[in-house]
Amino acid sequence: MARRALKLASWTSMAFAASGFYLYSNKYLDPNDFGAVRVGRAVATTAVISYDYLTSLRSVPYGSEEYAQLRSEVHLRSARRLCELCCANRGTFIKVGQHLAALDYLLPQEYTSTLKVLHSQAPKSSMQEVSQVIREDLGKEIHDLFVSFDDTPMGAASLAQVHKAVLHDGRTVAVKVQHPKVQVQSSKDILLMEVLVLAVKQLFPEFEFMWLVDEAKKNLPLELDFLNEGRNAEKVAQMLKHFDFLKVPQIYWELSTKRVLLMEFLDGGQVNDRDYMERNKIDVNEISRHLGKIYSEMIFVNGFVHCDPHPGNVLASWVLALLCWLLPAPY
């Protein structure tokens, strides 16, 4: 066991050194947003979780009731540590954590139930940070662009948050603003994850999660480009225009950039909020049938699918509102 612990320490050191050398040699390293604390936090969490699995189950017969109980306890401790890491490092880490939380068919329940808090508790950017992104991308201050701008975001996700605002011409809009450091940190975060996953793979050969890193490499640049999101929204609106019960928000291109997306404001309750629908006399069964029609059309007819259908992205009112980023199906 001492040898395995030494092996773990060696691999974590190698992970730290390899990621640092690669970033430095490619001129990615910026101590202001990718310091030793951020990398060290990820490396340390990976090492502690790996060591816990290596040592906690060593003296218990595999397959016994005691083994199952101990394994569940290790899963829960590890999931909490991973959740704390995602919240601390934010951005890409939260995005990957949210993805893991949806893998009920693959991961132990302790992981998925613990990580699901990341869907609703993503850290928020301050108004100073929001103002900075709008100023840099649109060249004007918030008060020059809007009559009113709600300081409290309507929702915050791993990569951005959405504020309600009113333009000078009276239009009420939803303003999606990217968290300021996500763009810079994303490629470095993915590299760090790749190195750590490879290190864990050396200790646990059955650990097969490199596909998740590969998927993040492919899709994250698309998600960080809000102009791509806007184009996809318009494509879906055109594609599903024959559904009179569906409303896809209009994009306001004159005030949209890669990091700021202005769209028509649509009010409603989250599609899983049964109380809201009952209060507003919305037929839950009808909403369910409409969702089935929409997704059947996207999957089987068009092959172009809204791939993030969590409740914050689909609102119910007198129409269904299909919101946020829309990407082509991965198959």
Side-chain angles (χ1 to χ4, degrees):
M1 185 54 62
R3 182 179 298 175
R4 297 194 77 181
L6 181 60
K7 185 178 180 182
L8 171 63
S10 299
W11 272 102
T12 52
S13 298
M14 288 174 62
F16 196 104
S19 58
F21 175 78
Y22 184 89
L23 294 172
Y24 180 80
S25 64
N26 285 273
K27 298 181 180 179
Y28 284 144
L29 192 60
D30 181 352
N32 293 321
D33 58 44
F34 197 80
V37 172
R38 185 179 176 82
V39 181
R41 188 187 290 130
V43 173
T45 301
T46 303
V48 169
I49 291 174
S50 299
Y51 187 77
D52 198 0
Y53 277 104
L54 285 172
T55 58
S56 297
L57 304 174
R58 66 187 180 203
S59 59
V60 183
Y62 178 79
S64 65
E65 187 175 329
E66 184 182 3
Y67 182 92
Q69 176 62 32
L70 279 175
R71 183 178 60 185
S72 178
E73 292 172 4
V74 176
H75 284 339
L76 186 58
R77 286 198 300 270
S78 301
R80 287 172 176 166
R81 288 167 179 150
L82 185 58
C83 189
E84 289 173 4
L85 170 64
C86 292
C87 288
N89 276 9
R90 304 175 60 170
T92 309
F93 280 82
I94 288 184
K95 191 69 184 177
V96 172
Q98 290 173 338
H99 196 152
L100 291 173
L103 300 180
D104 304 86
Y105 55 90
L106 188 61
L107 291 178
Q109 179 269 336
E110 292 86 352
Y111 277 91
T112 55
S113 61
T114 300
L115 293 173
K116 275 177 180 170
V117 302
L118 297 175
H119 284 298
S120 57
Q121 296 182 11
K124 300 177 179 63
S125 292
S126 66
M127 269 307 297
Q128 182 179 356
E129 291 173 316
V130 170
S131 299
Q132 175 190 339
V133 172
I134 290 177
R135 186 185 311 114
E136 290 174 355
D137 280 38
L138 297 177
K140 293 183 179 180
E141 299 294 336
I142 285 179
H143 60 78
D144 293 326
L145 295 166
F146 306 100
V147 173
S148 66
F149 190 98
D150 290 357
D151 289 355
T152 302
M154 298 164 53
S158 55
L159 306 181
Q161 61 193 48
V162 178
H163 293 258
K164 183 179 179 180
V166 179
L167 294 169
H168 286 284
D169 61 9
R171 288 177 293 177
T172 302
V173 295
V175 186
K176 184 173 181 179
V177 183
Q178 195 171 111
H179 298 312
K181 294 183 180 179
V182 169
Q183 193 82 243
V184 175
Q185 290 173 340
S186 60
S187 59
K188 304 167 189 176
D189 285 345
I190 292 173
L191 172 64
L192 177 58
M193 290 177 193
E194 184 173 16
V195 172
L196 293 176
V197 168
L198 288 171
V200 173
K201 174 74 173 171
Q202 295 299 315
L203 290 172
F204 305 98
E206 69 278 10
F207 185 81
E208 296 287 355
F209 276 88
M210 187 53 68
W211 63 270
L212 188 59
V213 176
D214 293 338
E215 187 172 299
K217 278 184 182 178
K218 179 179 68 175
N219 288 329
L220 194 58
L222 293 174
E223 292 187 53
L224 290 171
D225 182 356
F226 290 173
L227 295 177
N228 178 67
E229 177 180 327
R231 289 190 294 270
N232 286 338
E234 288 192 341
K235 180 172 180 176
V236 169
Q238 179 65 25
M239 196 171 73
L240 302 179
K241 64 181 181 180
H242 54 288
F243 289 135
D244 57 5
F245 54 78
L246 175 68
K247 174 67 175 176
V248 179
Q250 179 183 351
I251 305 299
Y252 299 128
W253 292 108
E254 69 275 15
L255 291 173
S256 293
T257 69
K258 285 192 173 185
R259 295 194 301 168
V260 179
L261 184 66
L262 251 73
M263 58 190 126
E264 177 184 5
F265 178 80
L266 296 174
D267 204 1
Q270 293 192 358
V271 75
N272 65 340
D273 189 345
R274 190 183 184 96
D275 291 339
Y276 172 88
M277 287 188 262
E278 289 177 350
R279 285 196 308 271
N280 290 276
K281 296 181 171 49
I282 298 171
D283 188 336
V284 176
N285 293 321
E286 186 178 17
I287 292 294
S288 181
R289 286 193 295 272
H290 287 340
L291 284 171
K293 290 178 182 177
I294 290 170
Y295 271 86
S296 294
E297 180 95 4
M298 287 193 289
I299 294 169
F300 299 113
V301 177
N302 298 290
F304 192 83
V305 183
H306 184 299
C307 292
D308 194 17
H310 68 73
N313 284 355
V314 184
L315 304 182
S317 58
W318 61 277
V319 293
L320 274 176
L322 197 60
L323 304 178
C324 293
W325 60 274
L326 300 126
L327 296 174
Y331 46 82

